[in-house]
Amino acid sequence: MKMKFLSGGRLKMSKRIFVPTSNREEKIDLPVISTLIQYKKTNILFDTGCHPDVQFKSEKRWGNLAKIMTPIGTTNDNLILNLKKNNIKPTDIDLVINSHLHPDHCGCNEFFVNAEFMCSSEELKVAKSKDAESKGYIINEWHHPMPLKEIDNFYDIFDDGRLITMPLPGHTPGTIGLHVNTDKDGKFIIVSDAVSLERNIKNDEIPKNAWDKDLLLKSYNELRLLETKGYKLIYGHDDEQWKYLNKTDKTYE
């Protein structure tokens, strides 16, 4: 097994969304992370970041959401180009797992035309609802002709305990994380926006964009328990963690 964390773009948002005690004018820069996993001759992505076009057509793609969640950075920083740097073409991807269907986590889905997709059934239910756009879902970002498998509860992708999805509701109704049990580098849980920033779980902070406070706190508790069992958490948008991951540019095995 090989695993690598790739940039899927960057965002600027109000810091108060994630740190409630912040001043209204404070902003925070957030990394958007995609994870590439190569296992059993299968190329897998967990989340696909922002679509490359949002760098110069953000309001056209995202509408009013672009005013809250503003893409920043350069046009050279997106998942498709970062896969290319690792000698992988979009057509090489076999499986895409979306933690949830907000556009910074599924923006490049459309490029992976040979892949099967997985997402929780609860997430699909809310993404298809009449008021989905008001909740941050944009149908053109996630609705594509490729096969989409709905999953529930814990789902062991290869039935061998190496890659297992985990329900982590709270940020959205159907947010999922991914257990990754590597051979040499230990055990990870890619938690996506179940924990946006490390300080959120350390202080039981509830971001203002959370769907359900109580469920998010329950997900925090479950993740803390797994930390005591040796799992390393990879957060959804923590820039300090990302700077370390990006600096080391390590392939985990």
Side-chain angles (χ1 to χ4, degrees):
M1 178 184 290
K2 294 183 178 180
M3 177 174 70
K4 193 166 188 178
F5 301 107
L6 303 176
S7 174
R10 289 184 72 82
L11 303 170
K12 185 179 289 290
M13 295 180 67
S14 168
K15 188 174 182 180
R16 200 173 189 183
I17 291 174
F18 302 94
V19 183
T21 56
S22 300
N23 296 325
R24 289 183 181 276
E25 65 273 12
E26 285 187 88
K27 301 292 183 181
I28 187 170
D29 288 1
L30 305 169
V32 177
I33 302 171
S34 178
T35 307
L36 171 68
I37 299 166
Q38 296 172 297
Y39 181 56
K40 290 193 172 182
K41 299 182 179 179
T42 305
N43 290 320
I44 303 159
L45 288 172
F46 185 77
D47 284 342
T48 66
C50 302
H51 192 284
D53 284 358
V54 297
Q55 289 293 338
F56 49 93
K57 297 179 182 178
S58 58
E59 288 194 33
K60 184 176 180 179
R61 288 198 70 90
W62 291 358
N64 289 332
L65 186 62
K67 298 175 183 178
I68 301 169
M69 194 167 74
T70 305
I72 58 174
T74 71
T75 55
N76 293 321
D77 186 18
N78 62 69
L79 177 60
I80 304 305
L81 291 177
N82 289 320
L83 284 171
K84 185 177 181 180
K85 292 174 185 176
N86 287 273
N87 300 310
I88 294 176
K89 304 185 296 294
T91 51
D92 294 332
I93 299 299
D94 303 296
L95 175 62
V96 174
I97 306 165
N98 286 126
S99 65
H100 62 296
L101 295 176
H102 285 162
D104 55 322
H105 293 266
C106 64
C108 285
N109 280 15
E110 68 178 69
F111 294 98
F112 306 114
V113 295
N114 292 338
E116 178 185 21
F117 288 75
M118 290 184 182
C119 188
S120 79
S121 58
E122 285 298 316
E123 191 69 6
L124 282 168
K125 189 184 302 181
V126 70
K128 292 177 180 178
S129 65
K130 291 181 180 179
D131 59 346
E133 190 168 338
S134 68
K135 297 175 180 176
Y137 297 94
I138 300 171
I139 192 168
N140 291 338
E141 297 288 287
W142 65 266
H143 190 265
H144 305 294
M146 291 79 83
L148 176 58
K149 182 173 184 175
E150 299 182 32
I151 57 176
D152 292 294
N153 300 316
F154 288 82
Y155 182 79
D156 192 331
I157 294 168
F158 291 100
D159 290 320
D160 61 1
R162 303 298 297 279
L163 295 172
I164 306 170
T165 66
M166 174 186 186
L168 292 170
H171 175 66
T172 69
T175 299
I176 59 174
L178 184 67
H179 290 225
V180 182
N181 297 308
T182 68
D183 295 299
K184 299 177 182 177
D185 290 307
K187 302 181 293 186
F188 296 79
I189 305 176
I190 310 164
V191 303
S192 185
D193 290 6
V195 184
S196 295
L197 310 178
E198 181 181 22
R199 62 166 292 149
N200 295 151
I201 194 171
K202 299 301 183 187
N203 299 294
D204 273 343
E205 284 180 329
I206 306 297
K208 292 182 180 294
N209 59 1
W211 165 71
D212 187 296
K213 173 183 176 180
D214 292 334
L215 283 177
L216 192 64
L217 288 172
K218 183 179 178 182
S219 291
Y220 285 176
N221 286 334
E222 291 177 4
L223 290 170
R224 280 192 284 256
L225 177 61
L226 288 166
E227 275 191 299
T228 67
K229 297 180 179 180
Y231 281 89
K232 169 73 172 178
L233 304 186
I234 303 298
Y235 308 111
H237 296 287
D238 192 288
D239 203 30
E240 288 305 311
Q241 185 181 59
W242 170 246
K243 285 174 181 176
Y244 169 77
L245 294 173
N246 190 38
K247 181 179 179 181
T248 55
D249 194 33
K250 179 178 178 178
T251 299
Y252 296 84
E253 299 182 10

